[in-house]
Amino acid sequence: MVPQNLCQLCKCLFLSKLKLNSVNVAGLARRIHSSSQKLSDSESQEQTVQKCESEELPQNTENSDSGRLHIPVMLEEVVNCLSPQPGQCFLDMTFGAGGHTAALLERARDITVYALDRDPTAHSMAQQLAAAYPNQLQPLLGRFSQSEALLISSGVEPGTLDGVLLDAGCSSMQLDTPERGFSLQKDGPLDMRMDRDRCPGMATAADVVNALDRRALAAVLSAYGEERHARRIASAIVQARSIYPITSTRQLASIVAGAFPASALYARKDLLQRPVHVATKTFQGLRIFVNDELHELLIGLKTAEKFLRPGGRLVALSFHSLEDRIIKRFLHGIDMTEKHNLGSKQKIRQALKNASKGEDTQGSPCGKSNSKWISIHKKVLTPQAKDIQTNPRGRSAKLRAAIKL
């Protein structure tokens, strides 16, 4: 049986991580499905099943650029927005392969960069780069939610940073490493933890798909993957795991594909009109849920605001609408719980509701508070055509930059 603490962990994860989304948690069932015993009792059966599933999935172009060196997204725009000057101090909250940090160090002399990343592999790369920039680059290992403590322990006081870069989402290094379990095109253990084994108690994607019930799974896929067919996919997952535990990426991709007719396998298109596997949004939803990415993003933005000096610059890169919505609302001072895309009548009702509560609607209409930021650009920046051709994975990037008032 699944250990009791794992069951409790999955329950707590599910209840806490949906707070940033408009999902009615109260109506969801909270039964936890046990699968560890099945895993230990049916190893030979699983090997047989995996042989049946070992046929190659049709290849799409989503990972055609895998294996090449990591290319920083919108590098020129990021550096220009941060506008590093000699002697300034910056925080790169998602070091990754270090492309943005290296560009900052090359642009201006005698600057200091604190390089944060939750991935131990990225942290090791930051340590290697630090050897080339002694006393200028300080690697930090941790999540956004740990960044405040890490900065203070490193001697950084709130209100002293000149610039902060926050690059949300998954890195190419993680996608291109099969044993990390992020890519549906490469078979590997269904893991998806950005922290790897640094946090032993953290649930993996396999724990989630084998533990949450159908309604809870559907809610996760709908809220985090923005998957229209979340119920159908959740039902297929529950049905499959009743026969054998789901433990690999290819296994899950095959189960999701089996819930649709063959013609729908690559019917979806990306922004470049390239075919996208039908399980892509399922993998996105599970990854965001497992790593608590949206909650971490909001904490990261708040930490950036706290440690930036007045006049300091924040540059935030996002790669899907959930991330961009949080960043946009934060920079505009909009309450995260307020519904987006309100109609005119709804805005009037909201304003009347605020007025009845005695709130100051003149200074902050429709639930909007006074922003503490001024945007550097009037509109969100997106990659140029030449950048997309060089780095297709960055095609959906959106860059928002602002100066702290």
Side-chain angles (χ1 to χ4, degrees), residues 7 9-15 29-33 206-218 220 234 237-238 241 286 289:
C7 296
L9 173 62
C10 288
K11 287 182 181 179
C12 294
L13 279 172
F14 177 65
L15 291 174
R30 295 175 176 82
R31 296 189 302 270
I32 298 298
H33 180 81
D207 293 328
V208 174
V209 297
N210 287 295
L212 294 183
D213 61 28
R214 181 184 61 81
R215 296 181 68 184
L217 273 174
V220 168
I237 291 174
V238 171
R241 77 186 187 194
L286 289 172
F289 180 75

Side-chain angles (χ1 to χ4, degrees), residues 111-113 130 133-138:
I111 68 170
T112 302
V113 179
Y133 293 92
N135 302 322
Q136 283 188 266
L137 179 60
Q138 182 164 344

Side-chain angles (χ1 to χ4, degrees), residues 84-220:
Q85 303 299 320
Q88 289 188 330
C89 186
F90 295 87
L91 168 64
D92 186 347
M93 300 192 77
T94 40
F95 178 81
H100 291 119
T101 291
L104 288 173
L105 291 167
E106 292 174 2
R107 175 66 67 92
R109 59 181 177 82
D110 297 330
I111 68 170
T112 302
V113 179
Y114 292 87
L116 174 74
D117 207 293
R118 65 190 293 179
D119 192 328
T121 301
H123 180 67
S124 297
M125 297 182 70
Q127 290 177 319
Q128 294 175 13
L129 184 61
Y133 293 92
N135 302 322
Q136 283 188 266
L137 179 60
Q138 182 164 344
L140 303 174
L141 177 60
R143 308 177 185 180
F144 295 159
S145 56
Q146 299 169 319
S147 58
E148 180 175 350
L150 289 170
L151 288 169
I152 292 176
S153 64
S154 299
V156 182
E157 297 294 331
T160 60
L161 293 178
D162 296 288
V164 174
L165 169 62
L166 197 157
D167 184 358
C170 189
S171 72
S172 292
M173 296 186 302
Q174 293 165 338
L175 289 172
D176 293 336
T177 308
E179 56 266 27
R180 301 297 299 272
F182 287 98
S183 175
L184 60 88
Q185 291 293 335
K186 301 178 179 182
D187 195 25
L190 194 57
D191 193 330
M192 298 193 189
R193 295 172 301 169
M194 292 181 177
D195 301 85
R196 304 201 76 163
D197 296 325
R198 192 171 66 89
C199 304
M202 184 178 177
T204 65
D207 293 328
V208 174
V209 297
N210 287 295
L212 294 183
D213 61 28
R214 181 184 61 81
R215 296 181 68 184
L217 273 174
V220 168

Side-chain angles (χ1 to χ4, degrees), residues 69-358:
L69 292 176
H70 175 71
I71 303 174
V73 177
M74 301 182 70
L75 179 62
E76 183 178 350
E77 292 87 343
V78 167
V79 175
N80 289 338
C81 288
L82 288 173
S83 185
Q85 303 299 320
Q88 289 188 330
C89 186
F90 295 87
L91 168 64
D92 186 347
M93 300 192 77
T94 40
F95 178 81
H100 291 119
T101 291
L104 288 173
L105 291 167
E106 292 174 2
R107 175 66 67 92
R109 59 181 177 82
D110 297 330
I111 68 170
T112 302
V113 179
Y114 292 87
L116 174 74
D117 207 293
R118 65 190 293 179
D119 192 328
T121 301
H123 180 67
S124 297
M125 297 182 70
Q127 290 177 319
Q128 294 175 13
L129 184 61
Y133 293 92
N135 302 322
Q136 283 188 266
L137 179 60
Q138 182 164 344
L140 303 174
L141 177 60
R143 308 177 185 180
F144 295 159
S145 56
Q146 299 169 319
S147 58
E148 180 175 350
L150 289 170
L151 288 169
I152 292 176
S153 64
S154 299
V156 182
E157 297 294 331
T160 60
L161 293 178
D162 296 288
V164 174
L165 169 62
L166 197 157
D167 184 358
C170 189
S171 72
S172 292
M173 296 186 302
Q174 293 165 338
L175 289 172
D176 293 336
T177 308
E179 56 266 27
R180 301 297 299 272
F182 287 98
S183 175
L184 60 88
Q185 291 293 335
K186 301 178 179 182
D187 195 25
L190 194 57
D191 193 330
M192 298 193 189
R193 295 172 301 169
M194 292 181 177
D195 301 85
R196 304 201 76 163
D197 296 325
R198 192 171 66 89
C199 304
M202 184 178 177
T204 65
D207 293 328
V208 174
V209 297
N210 287 295
L212 294 183
D213 61 28
R214 181 184 61 81
R215 296 181 68 184
L217 273 174
V220 168
L221 300 183
S222 176
Y224 297 114
E226 298 181 293
E227 173 58 67
R228 292 177 299 170
H229 304 288
R231 292 182 180 179
R232 177 192 296 185
I233 294 172
S235 296
I237 291 174
V238 171
Q239 183 178 1
R241 77 186 187 194
S242 66
I243 303 173
Y244 52 86
I246 304 171
T247 58
S248 73
T249 56
R250 178 147 313 198
Q251 199 180 356
L252 178 60
S254 298
I255 292 168
V256 175
F260 295 87
S263 60
L265 186 59
Y266 282 93
R268 298 176 178 179
K269 308 291 183 182
D270 64 13
L271 294 177
L272 302 180
Q273 294 304 305
R274 304 183 305 177
V276 176
H277 194 278
V278 72
T280 299
K281 290 188 175 182
T282 296
F283 273 65
Q284 172 189 303
L286 289 172
R287 189 204 80 217
I288 293 174
F289 180 75
V290 165
N291 294 288
D292 200 10
E293 292 181 33
L294 301 186
H295 184 237
E296 287 288 325
L297 173 59
L298 181 57
I299 296 177
L301 290 168
K302 291 180 178 179
T303 302
E305 179 183 303
K306 181 174 182 178
F307 279 83
L308 276 172
R309 64 171 177 81
R313 295 173 174 240
L314 170 65
V315 175
L317 284 166
S318 61
F319 295 87
H320 56 75
S321 59
L322 297 176
E323 294 171 344
D324 184 58
R325 188 179 304 150
I326 292 174
I327 295 170
K328 181 179 179 180
R329 287 181 166 221
F330 179 81
L331 294 178
H332 286 82
I334 302 175
D335 187 353
M336 296 295 167
T337 60
E338 180 185 327
K339 294 183 179 180
H340 61 283
N341 296 331
L342 292 176
S344 299
K345 292 183 178 179
Q346 291 174 308
K347 290 181 179 179
I348 294 173
R349 292 195 193 101
Q350 183 68 49
L352 292 173
K353 182 179 179 181
N354 291 342
S356 65
K357 293 181 178 179

